[in-house]
Amino acid sequence: LVCQSRIGSATISRLPILVDMPSLLERLSADLKDSMRAGDAVRRDEIRGLIAALKAEQQSKLTRALSKAGLILQGDNAVLSAEQQTQVDVLHSTSALSDDDQQAILIQRVKQHRQSIDEFVRGKRADLVEMEQAQLTVDEAYLPAQLNADAVDAAIASAISETGAAL
């Protein structure tokens, strides 16, 4: 999409408007529905696990923020004042996981699958290796594309030539 403005008889084209990419959780939810329709149990179960991990971390982040603000009350007669309820609402609305937090959780799960695969290979459990590899494939589909060594070298060379830096 390109945003255009009209001033008098002249039309000014501006930079393209970036369309928001769906968050990881939104993509997972959509893919969960697709995998359920397709009957893909491995994909469905792994996506459910990813969603659960993301929601657990989000809840943990909210609990830490509430605890830090002294808004976790104990006992039967614990009632929040209107001001405290407002603080809770603000913290709840701002406790969403950042893209970096979501990626960190995803990377952690990928790392766990790789470690499990290594252990199952050592234990000669081909059935479990196959299952972990299938789950790892699902998780890796949500990781950002990784640059290969040639692309990194090209980016470094380009940056050096643009800035005029010396090696």
Side-chain angles (χ1 to χ4, degrees), residues 33-105:
K33 291 175 189 172
D34 292 342
S35 65
M36 291 171 74
R37 287 185 192 117
D40 188 348
V42 172
R43 185 172 174 77
R44 178 199 64 211
D45 294 344
E46 186 58 26
I47 291 173
R48 281 182 177 162
L50 282 168
I51 291 172
L54 290 170
K55 287 184 177 182
E57 181 59 31
Q58 185 171 355
Q59 184 62 42
S60 178
K61 184 177 179 180
L62 175 61
T63 302
R64 287 190 304 269
L66 290 172
S67 179
K68 186 176 181 180
L71 295 171
I72 296 182
L73 304 179
Q74 302 286 327
D76 295 335
N77 297 329
V79 178
L80 292 174
S81 68
E83 181 181 317
Q84 288 174 324
Q85 186 61 48
T86 303
Q87 287 178 312
V88 168
D89 293 341
V90 167
L91 286 174
H92 192 271
S93 66
T94 60
S95 69
L97 294 176
S98 68
D99 290 342
D100 290 339
D101 293 337
Q102 292 177 357
Q103 289 298 320
I105 292 166

Side-chain angles (χ1 to χ4, degrees), residues 7 9 28 40 131:
I7 301 175
S9 62
L28 288 169
D40 188 348
M131 178 61 81

Side-chain angles (χ1 to χ4, degrees), residues 70-156:
L71 295 171
I72 296 182
L73 304 179
Q74 302 286 327
D76 295 335
N77 297 329
V79 178
L80 292 174
S81 68
E83 181 181 317
Q84 288 174 324
Q85 186 61 48
T86 303
Q87 287 178 312
V88 168
D89 293 341
V90 167
L91 286 174
H92 192 271
S93 66
T94 60
S95 69
L97 294 176
S98 68
D99 290 342
D100 290 339
D101 293 337
Q102 292 177 357
Q103 289 298 320
I105 292 166
L106 183 57
I107 289 168
Q108 178 184 16
R109 287 188 58 98
V110 166
K111 183 178 176 182
Q112 287 173 344
H113 285 304
R114 288 181 178 152
Q115 289 173 346
S116 295
I117 289 169
D118 291 343
E119 292 300 317
F120 292 146
V121 165
R122 276 190 231 128
K124 298 179 180 163
R125 294 294 309 266
D127 55 330
L128 296 176
V129 168
E130 184 179 325
M131 178 61 81
E132 286 291 327
Q133 285 177 335
Q135 292 170 342
L136 176 62
T137 301
V138 171
D139 289 353
E140 285 178 334
Y142 296 100
L143 287 174
Q146 302 293 312
L147 294 176
N148 62 23
D150 294 335
V152 172
D153 291 342
I156 291 170

